[in-house]
Amino acid sequence: MTTDHVELRTGVYADSVTLLQVSRQVQQLPGVTAAQVAMATPLNVEVLERMRFAIPDEATVNHLVVAIRLDDDGELDAVRAEVDRALTDRRPAASGPTEDAPPRTTDAALRREPGSLVLVSVPGPSAAVEAMDALESGSDVMVFSDNVPVEQEVALKRYAADRDLLVMGPDCGTAVVGGIGLGFANVVTPGPVGIVAASGTGCQQVLALLDHAGVGVGTAFGVGGRDLSAEVGGLATRTALARLDRDPGVELAMLISKPPADAVADALTAYTGSLGTPVHLALLGAGRPDLTAATEDLLRALGREVPTWPVRGETRAATGSRLQGLFVGGTMKQEAAVLVSAAGVAPGAAELVDFGDDEYTTGRAHPMIDPSLRLERLAEVAADETTGVVLMDVVLGHGAEEDPAAALAPAIEGIGPPVVITVVGTSHDPQGLDRQVDALAAAGAEVHLSNAHATRRALAILGGSR
Amino acid sequence: MVHLEVAGGAVGVAAAGAPGLPHSLRTNLVSLSSSGVPTAYLDSGILHLGGRALVVGRLVDVRAPRLDSARIPTASPAAVQGTPRSHGAGLVAGPGGVDIRHIDVRHIDPVAVAGLVGRGDGLTPFGDDVLCGWLAAHRAACVATQAVDDAVRRALPRTTTLSATLLECALAGEVADLAAGYLRALGTPSERAARAALAALGHSSGEGLALGIDLGVAGLVGRVAA
Amino acid sequence: MSTPTSERVVSVGVDLLAQALENQAAPVSRVDWRPPLAGTEHDLATVALDPLRPGANARALERMLAVQAVLVDVLPAHEALGLEAGRFLHAGPPIAWERASGPLRGALMGAAALEGLVDDPEDAVALFEAGTSVSLEPCHHHRCVGPMAGVVTPSMWVFVLEDPATGARTHCTLNEGLGKVLRYGAYSPEVLTRLRWMNEVLGPLLQGAVRATTDDGEPVDVTAILGQMLQMGDEAHNRNRAGTLMFLRDLGPALVATGGDVADVAEALRFVGGNDHFFLNLAMPACKLALDAGRDVPGSTMVVAMSRNGTDFGIQVSGTGDEWFTGPAQIADGLYLGDFGPDDANPDIGDSAITETAGLGGFAMATAPAIVRFVGGSVPDALATTRRMQEITLGENPRWSVPILEFAGVPSGIDVSKVCRTGILPQINTGMAGRVAGIGQVGAGLVTPPDEIFPKALTRLAQLTAGRAASRRPA
C-alpha cells in the first residue's frame, strides 16, 4: 500500500538540474517508492501525471511541485524535512544575516564584483535581459541558454560590437577563457592555438584531439550556432577573431562552424585575410573535411606531427542492416550524418539522434548531465533485430556527469549489436579519460578519440554485413 | 601559501586570492596556515590537505611572458644604477647580508652564481630570488643562458628544497604570477605599480625577484634582436 | 602565454555550471535568480534591448540627484498654484468621489467647509455627489504633494520649494499635527479652527521668516537637512523629528525677527516644535522636486512618482510621461495603536510615498533602527530592507548616505524593469489611517504597491520602445 503526497510551493525557485539532483536524493530515502521535485511546467506536469501523481489544477509554472509516494514504512515528515534540507543546501548561501543576501540580478552581482566575465544559463526568454546587464557593465558574456529569439541575439551583438565586447552564444555550451573552462569544457593545457567555435561539442572534439597531439589551447571562444547566419552576420565571430589576433600568445587560430551564409562568407574571408594571425577554417558539411581532418591540417601548419588517433577495444560483426547513432553532442551527430550520407547509406538504413536537441531537453537536463533518456533508447535499439551497429559519443569534461561509463558500460555489456564509441576527453578531464575508455572497452565497445574515425569504422562494420 | 615536500621537491598550495608561485596549486580555499594544517598526503596522485582532496580542475600557464626588444629599456632600470638604495634589500646588503656589489650588471656568470645560491635567510634565500628573477628575464627575452643554467644546477644542493624547486622552475622558464605581471608591464605605464606589487611579495622574496629581473633586463640592453 | 583576463566569473542560472567553475578554483559569484513576475519576460527583453534605455536612465537619475531643494516662500495655494474656488487637490492618482475612501471624503468635506462652500461639512456630500461645482485633481498634476488625504484648497498656505539651478518649484501644505486632523479625514469644529489659525497666523508668520532668510541669502536648504537627518536616525517618512528640530533652528531667529505678535510667534514655535512630523511636509516636496527633474526622458524606466488616494495606488514613470499605472492600494502590515486592528485600517493613502521614490523612508530604513520597533521589525530587518532596495534601483544618492552601511548612499531611482525581474517591490514605511473618516491614525507599518502595476508600466514602456523601433525601420 502506498500513499501519495503532493504539495505546491510558491516563492521557491531552483533550476531544472538542481531539482533533478534533489529528486534523486529524495528517491533514495527509505520508505520512498517514487518522488519528483520539479517546477510545474507543462512537460513536468505530464511526467508527474504519467507517474500517476494527481497534480492540482491551480499549479502554474511558478509553483514548485513536491510529489512523494511512500510505502508503509515511509514517514512523510522525515521525507519532507529532507526535501527542505536538500533545497536549501543548494540555494546560493547568504553568508551572514540578511545583510549579505546574494545578488538577485547580474547587474547587482557586477556592482559588487566589477570586471567579471558573465555566464548566463537562465531560461531562454530571460537570457537577453541578464546578458544586457553584463554588456552595460562592460563585461563579456557567455550565453549558455538556448531558446533566445534571433532578434534578441542580433540586438545584443550589435550593442556588444560597438563596445568591443564579446557575446558568446546563445546556445554556447563551451568556452575556455583566461584558462578557465566555461560550460561543458575540457581541461586543456595552455598553448599556442586559439579557437572560435559555433559549436560546443565540435570545439570539444578539437580540444581532445589537440590534447592528444600535445598541442595546447590558450583560448576557445564559442559564438553560438547562429552567429554566421545572414541575420546575425558573424558579429561575434569577428570580435572573437580580433581578440585572438591581438593575443600575443596565439600563433594559430581555428574557426569551427558549419558553412556560413553566402552573404557572410565573403566578408569573413576578407576579414580573416586581413588579420596577422593565420586562421584555419574548419567549415563542416557535405564534401568538406571532417573535424579530425581539419585538426590534422592545423597540426601540420604548426609543424607538429600528426599522431595516430587512438583506438581501444574490439567489437563484433554487424548484427543487422541499420546504423543506430545515439549522440549527446550535436556536432558529433552532424559530422556522423555527413559521413553516413557520403558513404551512400540509404536513408532508412541509418538513424542518428541528437539527445541534446531541444525536443529532448525542454524541462529536463542535457544528456551530458542526465543520460537516462539515451540509455532507454539504447536498450530499445539493442533489442531491435534490425540494428546492425550502434554508434555513440561520450563527452567528458567539467559540467558533464562524473562517471559516464558507470551506467553506460553495464548497458553495453553483453548486448547483441557491435558498439563503436567516441570518448571526447582530454588527459586531465575530471572523469579520467583512460578509466572511461578502459571501462567501455572492457564492456565490449571499440573506443575512439576521433568521431570521424569512429563513424567510418561503424560504416565499415555495417558494410561487412551486406 | 603552504609549502609541502613531495617526492624530494616542493609543492605550494595557495589560498583563494593569494598570488601563485610556479610550483603551487591555486585553490579557492579561504585560508591556509602552516600552524593549522593537520596532515597532507598523496593518494593516487592526488594531494590531500587537511582531509581535503585537491583535485586539479584546470591547468595554469606559468611561463614567463614574451619580452620583445621594443620593451627592453635603452638604459638600465633605476634599481641597478648609481648608488645603492638605503632600504632593506638594496644593492649592498640584503637580508642575510648578501653583498652583490661585485656583480657585473652586464652579465651574471657561473662565478656569481656560486656567490648567490643559498645566500641569505628565509625559506627562499635572497640570492636565489635574485637568480630566479634574472633567469625569468632571460627566458622572457628568449636569450639562452647555458653556462649559468649549468652552474645553478650544480649549486642546487646548497639551498633549501623549496628554493631549489623554484630555481628549477626558473630554469624551465616558469615564474611567479607577480613576476609575470612585472615582466608584462615593462615598458608600459604600469611598470612601477607592477614592480611595487612584486616587491611586496613575501618578506624579501619579491624584492629579490624584482631586483633579479632588473639585473637581467639591464644585461639584455642592446642584446636582443628587434 | 596568453594575456590573462579577469579570473572572476558571475554565474546566473544553472548551479551546475557555477559548481564546475569552483572545481577549477575560479572565483565565482552566484546570482540568486528567480523567474520574473508572470508574463513579463517578453516586455523585459524588449525594454532591456532598447538602445535608448541605458543613457535615458543615466540621464534621469543624474538630473534627479543634482536637484537642490531650497525653501523660498510660503504662500496661499490660490497664489502659488492659481487654485480657484471649487477646485480640490488630493493625494494619489485621479479619483472620483464615488470611489473615494473614508479619510479622503472626510478631508474633502472639511475643506469644503473651510473654503465656505458649505457651513456644515456634512452638507458637502451632496456637493461632491453632484460634482458640478467642484472638481477633484491629483496634487501631482499641479507640482504639489500632500500627506494622507492630501487635500489642498485655495485658502490653504503652502511651502514653496525651488531648485536654484533651474527655477523649478514644488509645493506642500503645512502639517497640522497629530491626532484628529483634516488629513486623516476629521472635520470637527476644532479641526477647522486649527486650519483657520494656520491660514491666518502661521502661514503669514512663516512667510515673513522664510522671506527674511532668502533676503539674507541663506534660505533653508531642505536637501541638506535631509542629508543630516539620515545621520541622526530619521528616514524622512515616518520619522522626521531631527528634521523638524533643524528646521526650527534654521528658521527660529527669523521667525522672531518678523516682529509679529509675541504670543503668535510663541504659538507658532510651540506648534512646529510640538509636531514631530512637521518636517514631512518639507521632505515630500523636496523629493518631488528632485523626481520631477527626472521626468519625461524617453526610454527611461525610472519611477518618478508613487502615490495613493486611499483606494488606488499609482505610479508614474519617466519614459511614459503623465500616465498613471494603478492597482488596489494595500493595507499596511504593522503595529496598531490601542485596541485598533486590521479591520480598522484604511487602504494605503497619501503622496508621502514620494519619499521612498526618492530613496528615503522605507529605502533608508537602515539608518532609522528606531523605526523598526514601531513597524514590528528587528534591526537586521531594517538593514536588509535597504540592501534589498539596492536590487531595484538605478544607483545611489551620495548626498543622502547611511552611516551604518559604511556611508553608502540611499538606493535611488526605482527601476520598473528590476522590480519586474526580481519581484522585489518598493518598501514603504507608512502610517495607517482609520477607515472611518476622522478616526485618525490607527497604526504604522510596512506596505508595498500592488505588484500588478509594474508589469502594466513595463508593457507600456515596451510598446513605446517597439514604436520607436518601427519608426526607425525603413518603410
Side-chain angles (χ1 to χ4, degrees):
Chain A
M1 253 307 287
T2 59
T3 41
D4 280 1
H5 172 84
V6 177
E7 68 184 77
L8 298 180
R9 299 190 188 184
T10 53
V12 182
Y13 172 79
D15 68 72
S16 59
V17 179
T18 298
L19 291 176
L20 189 82
Q21 292 162 335
V22 170
S23 296
R24 282 220 195 113
Q25 263 175 265
V26 176
Q27 281 156 13
Q28 323 279 23
L29 296 172
V32 175
T33 54
Q36 195 77 259
V37 181
M39 301 306 290
T41 61
L43 191 88
N44 286 339
V45 168
E46 208 184 295
V47 168
L48 285 159
E49 284 173 349
R50 264 195 279 123
M51 290 169 77
R52 300 211 203 89
F53 283 110
I55 306 301
D57 287 333
E58 62 266 22
T60 69
V61 296
N62 289 322
H63 281 107
L64 178 73
V65 179
V66 178
I68 304 167
R69 180 165 295 139
L70 299 168
D71 63 25
D72 291 331
D73 302 324
E75 285 184 18
L76 183 60
D77 287 337
V79 174
R80 290 183 74 229
E82 261 306 301
V83 172
D84 291 338
R85 205 192 49 77
L87 283 170
T88 44
D89 272 358
R90 292 172 185 278
R91 276 241 80 89
S95 47
T98 39
E99 310 174 13
D100 287 303
R104 294 287 310 281
T105 62
T106 299
D107 181 56
L110 286 169
R111 284 195 214 177
R112 299 184 200 188
E113 302 282 353
S116 311
L117 174 65
V118 176
L119 173 53
V120 176
S121 57
V122 297
S126 297
V129 173
E130 300 299 318
M132 260 315 276
D133 277 358
L135 296 175
E136 263 182 74
S137 167
S139 287
D140 291 338
V141 57
M142 171 169 157
V143 180
F144 182 92
S145 318
D146 57 11
N147 289 316
V148 177
V150 67
E151 318 82 62
Q152 291 179 12
E153 176 176 352
V154 172
L156 283 169
K157 287 181 173 176
R158 286 210 180 125
Y159 187 88
D162 286 343
R163 289 156 183 79
D164 196 25
L165 293 173
L166 184 59
V167 175
M168 293 186 273
D171 203 10
C172 170
T174 301
V176 178
V177 179
I180 297 173
L182 297 149
F184 295 119
N186 304 90
V187 181
V188 295
T189 308
V193 175
I195 294 176
V196 176
S199 143
T201 43
C203 180
Q204 290 185 276
Q205 165 76 109
V206 172
L207 291 175
L209 294 170
L210 287 174
D211 184 69
H212 182 77
V215 173
V217 175
T219 301
F221 292 126
V223 293
R226 278 188 310 225
D227 193 63
L228 289 169
S229 67
E231 248 182 296
V232 184
L235 286 168
T237 302
R238 244 186 119 93
T239 306
L241 287 171
R243 294 271 179 98
L244 293 181
D245 189 47
R246 280 204 298 268
D247 187 338
V250 173
E251 283 173 34
L252 200 59
M254 185 169 175
L255 172 63
I256 304 169
S257 168
K258 55 184 198 284
D262 289 334
V264 179
D266 291 338
L268 182 67
T269 314
Y271 185 66
T272 56
S274 73
L275 297 174
T277 306
V279 180
H280 281 238
L281 302 178
L283 305 175
L284 315 164
R288 293 163 182 269
D290 54 59
L291 279 172
T292 302
T295 307
E296 290 169 353
D297 282 340
L298 188 81
L299 287 170
R300 282 181 214 107
L302 278 170
R304 307 291 191 105
E305 223 182 280
V306 175
T308 313
W309 303 114
V311 184
R312 206 94 65 83
E314 268 177 28
T315 195
R316 318 160 261 296
T319 53
S321 58
R322 299 185 75 224
L323 188 155
Q324 293 282 6
L326 309 177
F327 291 89
V328 298
T331 302
M332 303 293 91
K333 178 231 170 183
Q334 276 163 35
E335 184 177 57
V338 167
L339 290 169
V340 164
S341 137
V345 173
E351 187 182 346
L352 303 172
V353 176
D354 170 18
F355 287 89
D357 195 53
D358 286 353
E359 72 179 284
Y360 300 101
T361 57
T362 314
R364 64 182 304 149
H366 193 278
M368 273 159 63
I369 300 166
D370 174 16
S372 39
L373 207 59
R374 179 164 78 158
L375 289 170
E376 272 174 41
R377 182 75 186 130
L378 176 61
E380 285 169 18
V381 154
D384 183 344
E385 287 173 348
T386 64
T387 300
V389 61
V390 178
L391 178 61
M392 302 176 73
D393 60 347
V394 171
V395 182
L396 307 181
H398 289 296
E401 54 166 328
E402 256 175 53
D403 191 356
L408 188 56
I412 62 180
E413 179 100 46
I415 66 171
V419 180
V420 182
I421 301 182
T422 307
V423 176
V424 177
T426 63
S427 51
H428 286 97
D429 277 340
Q431 292 85 354
L433 177 61
D434 289 342
R435 264 194 340 108
Q436 296 291 315
V437 171
D438 286 346
L440 294 170
E446 183 177 302
V447 185
H448 290 252
L449 183 67
S450 158
N451 184 60
H453 284 209
T455 306
R456 290 202 181 88
R457 274 292 296 150
L459 287 167
I461 290 169
L462 194 68
S465 86
R466 293 212 192 93
Chain B
M1 174 83 66
V2 169
H3 304 282
L4 305 169
E5 187 170 329
V6 177
V11 173
V13 180
L21 296 180
H23 78 317
S24 75
L25 299 174
R26 296 115 204 284
T27 71
N28 51 12
L29 297 172
V30 171
S31 72
L32 297 166
S33 84
S34 291
S35 51
V37 169
T39 40
Y41 59 89
L42 270 181
D43 181 3
S44 312
I46 295 176
L47 189 61
H48 291 249
L49 187 67
R52 228 196 236 100
L54 302 179
V55 178
V56 172
R58 162 169 61 114
L59 299 175
V60 175
D61 192 352
V62 292
R63 290 170 301 167
R66 287 289 299 272
L67 185 61
D68 55 50
S69 61
R71 292 198 292 123
I72 293 177
T74 48
S76 309
V80 300
Q81 275 178 349
T83 52
R85 286 183 309 212
S86 55
H87 80 272
L91 272 182
V92 176
V98 177
D99 182 350
I100 54 175
R101 272 175 303 183
H102 65 281
I103 294 174
D104 178 348
V105 298
R106 287 198 50 79
H107 70 108
I108 283 185
D109 63 14
V111 173
V113 167
L116 283 171
V117 174
R119 298 289 298 278
D121 296 333
L123 276 178
T124 59
F126 187 75
D128 295 359
D129 295 323
V130 173
L131 264 176
C132 282
W134 186 91
L135 287 166
H138 282 74
R139 292 292 181 273
C142 296
V143 171
T145 55
Q146 194 60 56
V148 169
D149 293 356
D150 293 340
V152 169
R153 284 200 188 89
R154 282 195 299 273
L156 285 180
R158 272 199 258 124
T159 188
T160 67
T161 308
L162 171 61
S163 205
T165 302
L166 292 173
L167 279 165
E168 281 175 324
C169 289
L171 289 169
E174 298 171 352
V175 301
D177 290 354
L178 290 172
Y182 182 35
L183 285 165
R184 216 175 286 120
L186 281 174
T188 76
S190 39
E191 180 181 317
R192 280 194 64 180
R195 192 189 193 284
L198 172 58
L201 179 65
H203 291 298
S204 61
S205 297
E207 191 54 65
L209 283 168
L211 183 58
I213 290 175
D214 290 341
L215 287 169
V217 167
L220 288 167
V221 173
R223 285 179 59 196
V224 180
Chain C
M1 174 174 157
S2 23
T3 317
T5 50
S6 155
E7 278 208 342
R8 191 156 202 105
V9 182
V10 165
S11 174
V12 55
V14 175
D15 191 69
L16 181 76
L17 298 184
Q19 187 59 54
L21 287 165
E22 283 186 341
N23 293 347
Q24 300 172 67
V28 188
S29 305
R30 285 169 163 85
V31 173
D32 181 10
W33 185 87
R34 324 233 181 127
L37 293 180
T40 58
E41 289 98 346
H42 189 257
D43 289 340
L44 280 171
T46 304
V47 170
L49 296 169
D50 179 359
L52 282 187
R53 182 189 47 84
N57 278 344
R59 217 156 30 249
L61 182 69
E62 196 192 314
R63 289 181 192 169
M64 169 187 149
L65 295 180
V67 167
Q68 184 193 14
V70 159
L71 178 60
V72 294
D73 210 347
V74 189
L75 288 169
H78 66 84
E79 237 185 280
L81 308 174
L83 206 58
E84 302 110 337
R87 288 175 67 195
F88 294 76
L89 303 185
H90 62 82
I95 189 167
W97 171 263
E98 294 72 46
R99 295 182 66 243
S101 62
L104 180 54
R105 286 189 176 193
L108 288 168
M109 288 153 64
L114 178 70
E115 296 301 320
L117 297 179
V118 292
D119 290 326
D120 184 343
E122 308 263 329
D123 294 340
V125 175
L127 219 57
F128 287 108
E129 281 175 355
T132 42
S133 57
V134 294
S135 69
L136 302 182
E137 296 156 86
C139 288
H140 264 296
H141 291 189
H142 295 273
R143 282 168 282 112
C144 190
V145 279
M148 288 294 150
V151 171
V152 183
T153 50
S155 72
M156 296 185 192
W157 285 63
V158 296
F159 286 122
V160 181
L161 270 62
E162 184 180 282
D163 179 3
T166 61
R169 289 183 164 196
T170 55
H171 313 78
C172 185
T173 48
L174 312 178
N175 195 292
E176 307 157 79
L178 307 163
K180 295 211 190 304
V181 288
L182 189 77
R183 73 175 182 281
Y184 279 105
Y187 50 76
S188 64
E190 61 184 4
V191 172
L192 295 171
T193 304
R194 185 188 309 112
L195 286 168
R196 287 186 190 109
W197 174 82
M198 289 167 71
N199 287 353
E200 287 154 23
V201 179
L202 182 65
L205 271 178
L206 288 174
Q207 181 188 75
V210 167
R211 287 184 178 181
T213 62
T214 56
D215 288 344
D216 286 345
E218 291 193 15
V220 175
D221 183 343
V222 180
T223 302
I225 293 181
L226 284 166
Q228 291 164 57
M229 280 163 73
L230 293 177
Q231 321 281 300
M232 294 166 68
D234 279 357
E235 33 75 285
H237 186 164
N238 253 331
R239 232 191 105 119
N240 281 278
R241 178 179 294 172
T244 302
L245 291 171
M246 283 191 276
F247 173 71
L248 256 188
R249 178 187 64 177
D250 282 356
L251 211 59
L255 204 53
V256 170
T258 55
D261 179 75
V262 167
D264 285 342
V265 171
E267 183 57 35
L269 287 169
R270 204 176 304 122
F271 182 81
V272 172
N275 176 6
D276 278 346
H277 288 294
F278 192 80
F279 193 82
L280 176 66
N281 291 41
L282 285 161
M284 288 171 56
C287 290
K288 178 168 172 61
L289 192 65
L291 286 158
D292 279 357
R295 280 180 181 263
D296 300 321
V297 181
S300 170
T301 57
M302 190 175 92
V303 176
V304 292
M306 287 199 294
S307 191
R308 326 76 115 203
N309 57 31
T311 309
D312 310 307
F313 191 118
I315 59 171
Q316 290 178 309
V317 178
S318 178
T320 54
D322 292 332
E323 269 181 78
W324 285 98
F325 302 97
T326 61
Q330 309 290 294
I331 302 230
D333 180 24
L335 295 177
Y336 289 91
L337 304 170
D339 47 8
F340 288 123
D343 293 336
D344 299 305
N346 198 67
D348 206 15
I349 185 169
D351 285 329
S352 55
I354 199 71
T355 53
E356 276 82 13
T357 316
L360 301 171
F363 281 50
M365 222 191 289
T367 205
I371 206 75
V372 294
R373 286 178 309 155
F374 199 38
V375 297
S378 64
V379 174
D381 293 338
L383 301 179
T385 298
T386 294
R387 288 200 183 281
R388 206 166 57 242
M389 296 302 105
Q390 289 171 343
E391 292 280 354
I392 57 171
T393 45
L394 294 169
E396 58 177 72
N397 188 334
R399 283 195 285 190
W400 294 343
S401 62
V402 178
I404 200 173
L405 295 179
E406 282 153 62
F407 294 92
V410 295
S412 301
I414 300 169
D415 182 344
V416 169
S417 285
K418 292 271 180 69
V419 171
C420 292
R421 285 169 68 179
T422 61
I424 295 172
L425 296 169
Q427 185 66 73
I428 298 168
N429 275 349
T430 190
M432 297 190 245
R435 200 177 269 283
V436 173
I439 293 264
Q441 185 174 3
V442 300
L446 302 174
V447 76
T448 60
D451 59 15
E452 66 235 55
I453 61 183
F454 292 92
K456 280 187 199 173
L458 182 73
T459 297
R460 187 73 187 115
L461 285 163
Q463 279 170 2
L464 291 169
T465 302
R468 280 190 296 268
S471 64
R472 270 198 305 271
R473 280 195 283 273

